[in-house]
């Protein structure tokens, strides 16, 4: 067991514990803007769907119910602009983090293979590479990579942590490059419905992939758009051959989305009203925090989408973390996401209205 865990970096959030204790000691309590976990209620129609499916004594299927596949393909066609999507182009997964962490292993990658991901990125891309013994490789522009040995290329737009959005023309260029070199492209699009100053586009959009999903897969989650982080509801869509292989592997591994969660996902994907309502909540919190942070001397970079503000005071990130912890505000240090983030912090706006208001007052 140690041989596997020794391949992995230290779990980053453990390093934040002393600062969390400092922030928690504030007289008015901690304002936790670090992890970015949803705090608002699960919409009632989703709760009802879960409850109505609670009597599910049998095993669910890995591929999901017909109703679930109908819901996913309908959403992928309508929301992502992937007009040719069919059931064979979709696969539910048990939360997107599980998929990211275990994908290289399930693809059969190992020593001698390379997994590429953005220089500033969600740490689990690296973890997935290391779990299977592949080599993690970072990039600024993937088309500048040496393609030799690269078997899996991760895109992330909108980006976690920076909120940067890749333009449609860049996606077209990257997809063409990956196909030219026979590199499988997975695009993490979990924040696609949370664009603020840019309109994120899916790698599956007809204008990007040409209506063909060959070598291209998108990853989507309901954690943020529908407040379902606790449900572990997510799916992948794209290349039918790749998803068919993953389906066979995941059948053997018992990677099944629980039946009540499948029913809840159908309800969530069939309703846009709750998504817009949640967007409005986040928009108000984002505006309030951005104004307060800039007034406190911070500079905001990128942050045109997602649930985070990527900010700096041009000092080491841990100095910023300590400063804000002294105000009772906990944020994530930028170096959690790569060395290029060493002078930034990531500020989530997923706290309640009351906690965001408390943070604004302290920053003022």
């Amino acid at each position: 067991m140690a041989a596997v865990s020794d391949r992995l970096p230290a779990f980053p959030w453990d390093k934040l514990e002393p600062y969390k204790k400092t922030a928690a000691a504030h007289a008015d309590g901690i304002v936790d803007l670090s992890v970015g976990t949803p705090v608002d209620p699960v919409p009632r129609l989703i709760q009802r769907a879960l409850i109505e499916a609670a009597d599910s004594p049998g095993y669910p299927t890995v591929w999901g119910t017909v109703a679930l596949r109908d819901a996913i393909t309908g959403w992928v066609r309508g929301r992502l602009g992937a007009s040719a999507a069919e059931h064979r182009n979709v696969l539910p997964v048990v939360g997107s983090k599980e998929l990211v962490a275990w994908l290289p292993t399930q693809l059969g990658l190992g020593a001698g293979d390379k997994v590429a991901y953005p220089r500033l990125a969600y740490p689990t891309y690296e973890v997935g590479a290391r779990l299977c013994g592949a080599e993690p490789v970072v990039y600024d522009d993937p088309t500048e990579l040496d393609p030799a040995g690269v078997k899996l290329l991760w895109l992330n737009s909108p980006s976690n942590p920076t909120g940067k959005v890749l333009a449609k023309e860049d996606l077209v260029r990257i997809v063409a490059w990956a196909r030219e070199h026979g590199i499988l492209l997975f695009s993490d699009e979990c924040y696609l419905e949370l664009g603020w100053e840019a309109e994120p586009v899916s790698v599956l959009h007809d204008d990007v992939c040409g209506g063909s999903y060959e070598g291209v897969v998108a990853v989507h989650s309901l954690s943020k758009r529908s407040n379902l982080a606790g449900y572990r509801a997510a799916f992948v869509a794209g290349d039918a051959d790749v998803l068919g292989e993953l389906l066979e592997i995941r059948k053997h591994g018992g990677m099944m989305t629980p039946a009540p969660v499948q029913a809840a996902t159908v309800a969530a994907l069939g309703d846009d009203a709750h998504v817009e309502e949640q967007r409005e909540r986040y928009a108000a919190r984002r505006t309030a925090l951005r104004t307060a942070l800039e007034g406190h001397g911070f500079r905001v970079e990128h942050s045109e989408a997602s649930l985070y503000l990527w900010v700096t005071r041009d000092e080491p990130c841990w100095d910023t973390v300590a400063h804000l912890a002294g105000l009772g505000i906990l944020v994530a240090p930028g170096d959690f996401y790569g060395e290029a983030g060493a002078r930034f912090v990531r500020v989530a706006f997923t706290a309640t209205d009351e906690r965001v208001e408390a943070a604004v007052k302290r920053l003022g």
Side-chain angles (χ1 to χ4, degrees), residues 13 16 20 31-40 122 160-161 190-191 194 221-225 227-230 232 278 282 285 289 306-309 330-332 336-337 346-352:
W13 296 99
L16 206 54
K20 187 174 184 178
V31 178
D32 192 342
L33 307 179
S34 61
V35 177
T37 188
V39 297
D40 299 302
Y122 182 48
N160 173 17
C190 289
Y191 296 92
L194 294 162
S221 167
L222 282 78
S223 292
K224 306 302 195 296
R225 73 183 293 279
N227 299 335
L228 296 189
R232 311 314 299 138
Q278 189 61 44
Y282 285 141
R285 294 165 185 167
L289 282 170
S306 82
L307 290 179
Y308 313 106
L309 294 169
L330 189 67
V331 298
F336 276 11
Y337 308 95
R346 193 195 73 172
V347 183
F349 42 90
T350 53
T352 64

Side-chain angles (χ1 to χ4, degrees), residues 260-301:
V261 175
Q262 293 190 30
T265 301
V266 172
L269 292 176
D271 178 74
D272 291 330
H274 79 276
V275 179
E276 186 55 39
E277 182 180 343
Q278 189 61 44
R279 273 182 56 87
E280 291 174 1
R281 291 190 188 108
Y282 285 141
R285 294 165 185 167
R286 177 180 184 272
T287 298
L289 282 170
R290 179 168 192 153
T291 301
L293 287 163
E294 289 177 334
H296 197 75
F298 283 93
R299 184 177 74 256
V300 179
E301 291 197 1

Side-chain angles (χ1 to χ4, degrees), residues 182-203:
I183 297 171
L184 179 59
L185 188 159
F186 265 68
S187 180
D188 181 345
E189 302 175 351
C190 289
Y191 296 92
L192 184 131
E193 294 197 275
L194 294 162
W196 310 110
E197 295 159 3
E199 186 61 40
V201 178
S202 174
V203 75

